[in-house]
Amino acid sequence: MDGDVSAHSQEAEKETTRLWRTFRTVYEMLADRGYEVSDDELAISLDEFRQKYSDPMGYPDRNKMKIQARPTEDMKVKYTALPSKSNPNPQPDCGIIYVDFCPDASGVGTKQVRAFNHIVGDNNIHTGIFITQTPISPSAVRLLSSLPNHICEHFQEQDLLVNITRHELVPKHVLLSPEEKSRLLERYRLKESQLPRMQVSDPVARYLGLRRGQVVKIIRKSETAGRYASYRWVI
C-alpha cells in the first residue's frame, strides 16, 4: 500500500513539475508578445504553482489554470495600421488574450474546441490560446480557426515545456510596428515581397503570435560587428 502511495505521489509530482514549466513558458510568451504580465506571474515558483493549481490528490488541476492578459500600450502601437484614406483613424488589432488548458487527457476534438470557441466569442476576447495534452483532430483544428473576427491558436503542453526563444542559438526576434516597417522599406527602396520570408508556422512565429504581412527584425550576435540585424516578411 505504501508503495502505491509513493508511486502515486511521485507521478503527481512529476506531472506538476512538467506543467509548471509549461505554465511559466506561457507567461513568458505573453510577455514577449507584449501583454501586461507581472513579475510575480513570470517568476512563479514550483511551490506556489503546487499550492494554487493542485487538486486534493496532488495532481495539477487544469480547470484552475485559466489566464487572461491585456495588451500594453507598446503592443497596441505595433498592431495599429497606418492611417489611410479609407481608414483615417485605425484602431489596434489586438485586445484581451485568454489561455485555456484543456483538462481532457485524450480524445480532444470538436466538442472541446466548440466550448473554447464559445468562451472566446461570448466574452468578445480578441485572441484565444487552447492548450492540450495531446494532438487535436484535423476537424478540431479547422473549427478552432473558423471563429470570425477572433484569433484562436493551439499548442500542445509539450510544445511549451522549454522556451525556444531562450535558447542560445535562437536570435532575438522583434516585431516592427507598421511605421517601422514602412520606414525600413522606404530606406532600402524595397517592396515587402522582396524581403526574405518567414512562415507563419515557424516555431518562433507561432511563439510570438506573428501574423501574415508583418515584418520581424532578427538580431544576431557577430564576432566582427557585435550585433547585426536582418528582416523577415511573415507569410
Side-chain angles (χ1 to χ4, degrees), residues 7-20:
H8 169 87
S9 61
Q10 280 178 2
E11 189 186 325
E13 183 60 23
K14 190 176 174 185
E15 190 176 339
T16 299
T17 302
R18 194 175 153 279
L19 201 52
W20 164 68

Side-chain angles (χ1 to χ4, degrees), residues 28-58:
E28 290 168 358
M29 180 169 77
L30 297 184
D32 288 343
R33 289 185 181 197
Y35 292 96
E36 292 178 0
V37 174
S38 72
D39 290 342
D40 287 347
E41 288 166 331
L42 282 169
I44 185 169
S45 69
L46 180 55
D47 279 344
E48 285 176 284
F49 179 80
R50 196 185 290 113
Q51 286 164 18
K52 282 181 86 170
Y53 301 110
S54 288
D55 66 15
M57 302 288 286

Side-chain angles (χ1 to χ4, degrees), residues 9 13 21 52 61 75 83 93 117 153-154 156 165 179 183 196:
S9 61
E13 183 60 23
R21 288 170 61 195
K52 282 181 86 170
D61 183 351
M75 184 179 183
D93 187 12
N117 281 359
E153 306 168 35
H154 170 251
Q156 278 182 248
T165 66
E179 190 174 328
R183 284 206 304 263

Side-chain angles (χ1 to χ4, degrees), residues 60-88:
D61 183 351
R62 289 169 176 81
N63 289 306
K64 295 178 181 175
M65 294 168 54
K66 300 181 191 307
I67 300 170
Q68 280 198 32
R70 299 175 179 279
T72 58
E73 291 306 311
D74 283 350
M75 184 179 183
K76 288 177 185 175
V77 168
K78 292 194 174 189
Y79 281 84
T80 302
L82 293 173
S84 63
K85 280 185 182 176
S86 59
N87 187 9

